[in-house]
């Protein structure tokens, strides 16, 4: 969705995963791509892309009924040696204090997962997410772990950017890479980003600095949202969230956790 590409060879392999039973589980005849040319908005060296969508070639689809339509991931922060977690089946059920669930909206001929985003809050200011981005207010944003940044429709983005800028009293600078619109010189000042809340239908997700700003060079931090004709909730915004998908009940559940620690 964001121009990331993995090119290589497609092969049939036996995929072996660790299990909570203590024994490994093998899945023969799994289609795996071996990427030798991976480009896009990756952070550091990357070995490829895991397809977690609803299409027939995605990993959850290939694992089939063995996982009961359930998988989850917990994306660690963009730091050296940081790791993330991916679970399938009963180990992927997200529950407990802080867990919030929103429905997946089915879209004809689409292989992604669409949610309903009602608004953003920046501090105490509400920015409504209106307009038929994907053919109606229901299912108006795609959640995608393979897209790095969050993309918002132009009208929503500029209202959102203006609200964020009101809270930050630092020098505005240009993004040296030309990707982001709102950047600040943070070299000599403490930087405190406003609390941003994404109001999904039935789930209010708090987004802290780690999920909303990104350092693009020494001393420059930028708002990690991009104006676009489409709406995508990307993986930077999903850092330190345990995100569980139940494709039988058609729901996504969020739970704030520290993804660098056991949960």
């Amino acid at each position: 969705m964001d121009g990331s590409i993995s090119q290589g060879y497609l092969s049939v392999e036996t995929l072996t995963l660790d299990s909570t039973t203590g024994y490994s589980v093998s899945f023969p005849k799994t289609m795996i791509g071996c990427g030798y040319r991976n480009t896009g908005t990756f952070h550091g060296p990357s070995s490829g892309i895991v397809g977690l969508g609803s299409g027939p070639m995605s990993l959850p689809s290939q694992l089939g009924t063995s996982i009961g339509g359930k998988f989850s991931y917990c994306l660690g922060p963009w730091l050296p040696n940081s790791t993330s977690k991916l679970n399938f089946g009963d180990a992927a059920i997200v529950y407990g204090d802080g867990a919030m669930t929103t429905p997946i909206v089915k879209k004809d001929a689409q292989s992604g997962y669409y949610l309903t985003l009602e608004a953003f809050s920046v501090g105490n200011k509400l920015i409504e997410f209106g307009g038929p981005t994907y053919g109606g207010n229901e299912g108006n944003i795609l959640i995608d772990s393979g897209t790095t940044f969050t993309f918002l429709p132009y009208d929503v983005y500029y209202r959102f950017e203006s609200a964020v800028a009101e809270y930050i009293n630092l020098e505005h600078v240009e993004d040296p890479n030309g990707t982001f619109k709102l950047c600040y010189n943070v070299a000599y000042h403490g930087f405190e980003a406003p609390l941003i809340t994404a109001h999904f239908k039935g789930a209010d997700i708090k987004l802290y600095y780690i999920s909303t700003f990104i350092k693009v060079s020494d001393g420059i931090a930028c708002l990690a949202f991009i104006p676009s004709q489409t709406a995508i909730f990307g993986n930077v915004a999903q850092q330190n969230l345990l995100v569980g998908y139940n494709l039988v009940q058609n729901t996504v559940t969020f739970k704030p956790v520290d993804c660098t620690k056991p949960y």
Side-chain angles (χ1 to χ4, degrees), residues 156-215:
V156 177
Y157 172 82
Y158 286 110
R159 287 186 285 122
F160 175 73
E161 179 195 275
S162 177
V164 172
E166 288 179 7
Y167 278 83
I168 301 174
N169 187 24
L170 291 176
E171 177 191 1
H172 286 219
V173 295
E174 295 292 322
D175 175 7
N177 302 313
T179 301
F180 302 108
K181 301 294 184 182
L182 184 63
C183 300
Y184 293 97
N185 180 354
V186 297
Y188 306 107
H189 306 278
F191 179 61
E192 185 174 345
L195 174 63
I196 295 172
T197 304
H199 299 283
F200 292 98
K201 185 175 183 179
D204 296 330
I205 310 303
K206 293 181 179 179
L207 305 177
Y208 298 95
Y209 170 80
I210 188 176
S211 303
T212 56
F213 277 81
I214 185 170
K215 281 197 172 182

Side-chain angles (χ1 to χ4, degrees), residues 29-50:
K29 298 182 179 180
T30 302
M31 300 294 290
I32 298 289
C34 179
Y36 60 80
R37 179 173 176 265
N38 306 304
T39 61
T41 53
F42 300 120
H43 179 69
S46 300
S47 56
I49 301 173
V50 177

Side-chain angles (χ1 to χ4, degrees), residues 2-261:
D2 62 353
S4 299
I5 297 172
S6 182
Q7 292 181 325
Y9 299 102
L10 190 64
S11 62
V12 178
E13 300 282 355
T14 295
L15 175 67
T16 302
L17 302 174
D18 291 336
S19 169
T20 54
T21 65
Y23 298 95
S24 297
V25 180
S26 295
F27 299 89
K29 298 182 179 180
T30 302
M31 300 294 290
I32 298 289
C34 179
Y36 60 80
R37 179 173 176 265
N38 306 304
T39 61
T41 53
F42 300 120
H43 179 69
S46 300
S47 56
I49 301 173
V50 177
L52 298 175
S54 57
M57 294 291 288
S58 75
L59 190 53
S61 295
Q62 291 193 72
L63 297 181
T65 57
S66 63
I67 63 170
K70 296 184 286 290
F71 69 92
S72 70
Y73 52 77
C74 201
L75 303 178
W78 279 24
L79 296 172
N81 302 317
S82 178
T83 60
S84 299
K85 303 174 182 69
L86 177 63
N87 287 298
F88 298 97
D90 290 343
I93 299 173
V94 179
Y95 61 94
D97 292 344
M100 293 168 285
T101 299
T102 189
I104 295 173
V105 178
K106 291 286 189 178
K107 295 284 186 176
D108 293 339
Q110 300 285 349
S111 62
Y113 306 111
Y114 294 87
L115 310 180
T116 301
L117 181 61
E118 297 173 339
F120 280 106
S121 289
V122 180
N124 295 321
K125 187 169 185 177
L126 189 71
I127 297 94
E128 292 186 353
F129 194 101
T133 306
Y134 281 107
N137 287 327
E138 293 289 312
N140 57 13
I141 190 166
L142 174 72
I143 181 171
D144 186 12
S145 61
T147 295
T148 306
F149 306 116
T150 293
F151 293 79
L152 299 178
Y154 290 100
D155 64 317
V156 177
Y157 172 82
Y158 286 110
R159 287 186 285 122
F160 175 73
E161 179 195 275
S162 177
V164 172
E166 288 179 7
Y167 278 83
I168 301 174
N169 187 24
L170 291 176
E171 177 191 1
H172 286 219
V173 295
E174 295 292 322
D175 175 7
N177 302 313
T179 301
F180 302 108
K181 301 294 184 182
L182 184 63
C183 300
Y184 293 97
N185 180 354
V186 297
Y188 306 107
H189 306 278
F191 179 61
E192 185 174 345
L195 174 63
I196 295 172
T197 304
H199 299 283
F200 292 98
K201 185 175 183 179
D204 296 330
I205 310 303
K206 293 181 179 179
L207 305 177
Y208 298 95
Y209 170 80
I210 188 176
S211 303
T212 56
F213 277 81
I214 185 170
K215 281 197 172 182
V216 296
S217 66
D218 289 341
I220 298 179
C222 297
L223 181 66
F225 291 70
I226 297 174
S228 174
Q229 293 181 340
T230 60
I232 304 172
F233 192 62
N235 62 47
V236 169
Q238 298 178 56
Q239 291 177 99
N240 278 345
L241 288 172
L242 178 57
V243 185
Y245 295 71
N246 187 319
L247 306 183
V248 175
Q249 298 180 359
N250 287 317
T251 58
V252 173
T253 300
F254 299 93
K255 183 179 180 179
V257 298
D258 183 345
C259 291
T260 65
K261 299 178 181 179

